[in-house]
């Protein structure tokens, strides 16, 4: 992104004046820069223990059940623990909040079916945002923000003279967490009938615009993509449909299911596909070989 050290230093100094304490170049797409506020950085410093690798979940639209299936396998097999850093954009941010809240993935799948049924009956475009917020209000526990602080990174896209990514991992309240997740999912003109939304007095939209999969704070990050990563030209992806020859969902099917709420049997299928794809990855990456305690932060390397 930066042509020389002087330009990089100038950029960082400007961000410091705006309350940005950390500027991180993404390891998969170096042209993308993620920024953290001072309180976000302080929250990470207060963490007593970190389990590496962390897991980053992609933007996925309404393919949310796929991520839930992946998370179920990772939790069952011991890859995701209470100390495991998480990060996500859009649907990926939702699943991170759900995992950190301590809810079961089956409960989250049931809540997803309620959202899907509402949208099938009354429409999706311009309504999805209100329905999503209502489901989050009912589903997330009162202390969800406390559980997420310093552990979960939610990516949003701030709109100024150009879109830029902003990482949020310190939440003042449960409502602040819900606002962050809502903003991360804000597809312009789709989630609600307006081109953008305000988050902490910043004009923002969907976090997936600047990057599908933000880095976690662990020394290593496994990236989870709900779409066939190879066909999208994405590199360094750990878990995705094209890692599993038994995953027969076509890109067209996935795109359709991402934009419009599928029937409950399809949501169950997505859940099962995510679980199966994660199982293939787990066979290649035994938990005893890669999970370890690690107090490093601002991870850049990948487990593939």
């Amino acid at each position: 992104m930066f042509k020389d050290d002087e330009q990089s230093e100038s950029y960082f100094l400007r961000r410091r004046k705006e309350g940005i304490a950390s500027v991180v170049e993404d390891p998969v797409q170096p042209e993308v820069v993620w920024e953290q506020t001072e309180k976000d950085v302080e929250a990470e410093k207060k963490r007593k223990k970190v389990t590496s690798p962390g897991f980053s979940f992609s933007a996925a639209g309404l393919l949310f059940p796929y991520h839930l299936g992946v998370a179920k396998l990772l939790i069952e097999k011991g890859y995701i623990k209470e100390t495991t850093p998480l990060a996500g954009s859009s649907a990926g941010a939702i699943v991170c909040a759900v995992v950190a809240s301590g809810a079961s993935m089956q409960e989250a799948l049931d809540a997803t079916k309620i959202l899907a049924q509402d949208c099938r009956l009354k429409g999706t475009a311009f309504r999805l945002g209100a329905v999503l917020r209502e489901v989050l209000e009912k589903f997330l526990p009162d202390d969800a923000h406390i559980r997420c602080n310093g552990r979960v990174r939610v990516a949003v896209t701030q709109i100024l003279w150009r879109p830029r990514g902003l990482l949020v991992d310190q939440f003042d309240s449960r409502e602040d967490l819900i606002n962050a997740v809502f903003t991360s999912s804000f597809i312009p003109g789709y989630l609600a009938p307006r081109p953008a939304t305000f988050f902490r007095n910043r004009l923002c939209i969907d976090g997936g615009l600047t990057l599908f999969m933000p880095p976690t704070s662990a020394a290593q990050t496994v990236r989870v993509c709900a779409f066939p990563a190879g066909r999208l030209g994405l590199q360094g992806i750990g878990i995705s449909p094209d890692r599993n020859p038994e995953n027969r969902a076509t890109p067209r099917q996935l795109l359709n299911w991402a934009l419009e709420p599928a029937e409950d049997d399809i949501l169950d299928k997505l859940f099962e596909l995510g679980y199966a794809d994660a199982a293939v990855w787990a066979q290649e990456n035994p938990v005893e070989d890669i999970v370890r305690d690690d107090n490093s932060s601002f991870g850049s390397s990948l487990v593939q």
Side-chain angles (χ1 to χ4, degrees), residues 56-179:
S56 176
F57 293 84
S58 74
L62 294 173
L63 297 178
F64 181 64
Y66 179 89
H67 281 335
L68 293 177
V70 171
K72 185 175 189 293
L73 184 284
L74 296 176
I75 293 170
E76 285 181 354
K77 301 301 183 182
Y79 293 93
I80 292 182
K81 304 175 181 292
E82 291 185 358
T83 53
T84 302
L86 306 169
S89 290
S90 193
I94 299 174
V95 75
C96 290
V98 169
V99 171
S101 73
S104 76
M105 298 304 100
Q106 184 60 52
E107 290 174 333
L109 179 61
D110 292 341
T112 303
K113 290 178 179 179
I114 293 174
L115 180 151
Q117 182 182 25
D118 186 293
C119 290
R120 287 196 299 265
L121 292 174
K122 301 177 183 179
T124 304
F126 303 154
R127 293 190 60 257
L128 182 58
V131 180
L132 173 61
R133 185 180 289 276
E134 181 179 351
V135 171
L136 291 173
E137 291 279 2
K138 293 180 178 178
F139 188 79
L140 293 178
D142 292 341
D143 65 344
H145 60 294
I146 298 174
R147 295 169 182 251
C148 289
N149 279 345
R151 179 190 181 189
V152 171
R153 285 180 170 181
V154 174
V156 301
T157 297
Q158 181 180 349
I159 303 175
L160 288 174
W161 59 276
R162 65 172 179 80
R164 71 170 188 250
L166 181 66
L167 285 175
V168 182
D169 50 15
Q170 175 65 27
F171 310 97
D172 297 332
S173 64
R174 177 173 172 271
E175 183 65 21
D176 189 45
L177 170 64
I178 291 174
N179 287 339

